[in-house]
DNA sequence: TAGGCCATCTGGTCCT
DNA sequence: AGGACCAGATGGCCTA
């Protein structure tokens, strides 16, 4: 019947969205979360993934420029220091033993326009 | 209580 | 035809 097909379609859609959400969870686990007590929203997860990828891409580009260099830590200290990157808007800057913190992979919730 | 985030239902569109 | 994908509507839950 029609009602039966509707229910089946609802169940498929539910499963589809659940698959999407497990994908979001897997993404949350590999995206930086420093100083975030609660889990990132879907939108925040995507934005953080974007800035994370950008930052890593940037690091790769730097590494390529210094391709023949041997001492990685000197590169790290020289070029990825805290003040070379945008300040992290919302995060509390606790404990500063962390060289790669929010300042490096900063996601800024505000400046991104939702629509264009 | 308003706003943010979310899950679900639903009908439309496109693909197989 | 039937499934996948999508966006709009709706209601629940939580927090400032």
């Amino acid at each position: 019947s029609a009602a039966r097909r509707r229910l089946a379609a609802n169940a498929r859609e539910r499963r589809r969205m659940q698959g999407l959400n497990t994908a979001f969870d897997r993404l949350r686990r590999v995206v930086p979360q420093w100083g975030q007590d609660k889990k990132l929203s879907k939108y925040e997860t995507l934005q953080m993934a974007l800035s994370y990828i950008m930052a890593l891409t940037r690091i790769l580009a730097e590494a390529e420029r210094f391709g023949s260099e041997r001492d990685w830590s000197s590169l790290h200290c020289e070029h990825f220091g805290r003040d070379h990157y945008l300040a992290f808007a919302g995060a509390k800057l606790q404990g500063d033993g962390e060289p790669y913190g929010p300042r490096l992979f900063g996601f800024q919730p505000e400046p991104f326009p939702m629509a264009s």
Side-chain angles (χ1 to χ4, degrees):
Chain A
S1 72
R4 191 59 218 165
R5 278 194 293 103
R6 236 307 128 195
L7 258 58
N10 290 351
R12 276 198 311 274
E13 176 68 5
R14 223 177 302 128
R15 271 188 287 106
R16 194 183 71 87
M17 292 310 272
Q18 282 162 9
L20 187 65
N21 287 332
T22 74
F24 263 104
D25 284 333
R26 292 172 58 189
L27 186 57
R28 273 190 197 96
R29 297 176 57 120
V30 301
V31 130
Q33 268 184 331
W34 301 282
Q36 205 72 39
D37 41 343
K38 48 201 174 305
K39 78 173 193 179
L40 299 172
S41 74
K42 295 177 178 179
Y43 174 74
E44 288 169 335
T45 302
L46 290 180
Q47 294 303 326
M48 182 57 88
L50 180 58
S51 55
Y52 189 43
I53 289 171
M54 302 287 231
L56 294 182
T57 298
R58 189 183 145 76
I59 288 175
L60 278 185
E62 291 292 323
E64 201 147 309
R65 286 187 54 237
F66 290 80
S68 52
E69 292 293 334
R70 294 191 90 279
D71 191 356
W72 248 94
S73 57
S74 75
L75 171 84
H76 149 289
C77 289
E78 196 175 336
H79 296 276
F80 301 128
R82 61 170 71 263
D83 294 320
H84 283 80
Y85 296 88
L86 349 128
F88 190 58
K92 33 196 183 277
L93 19 142
Q94 97 264 33
D96 273 289
E98 191 67 66
Y100 301 106
R103 294 166 182 276
L104 181 50
F105 308 109
F107 157 62
Q108 309 87 337
E110 279 309 330
F112 286 97
M114 290 291 275
S116 59

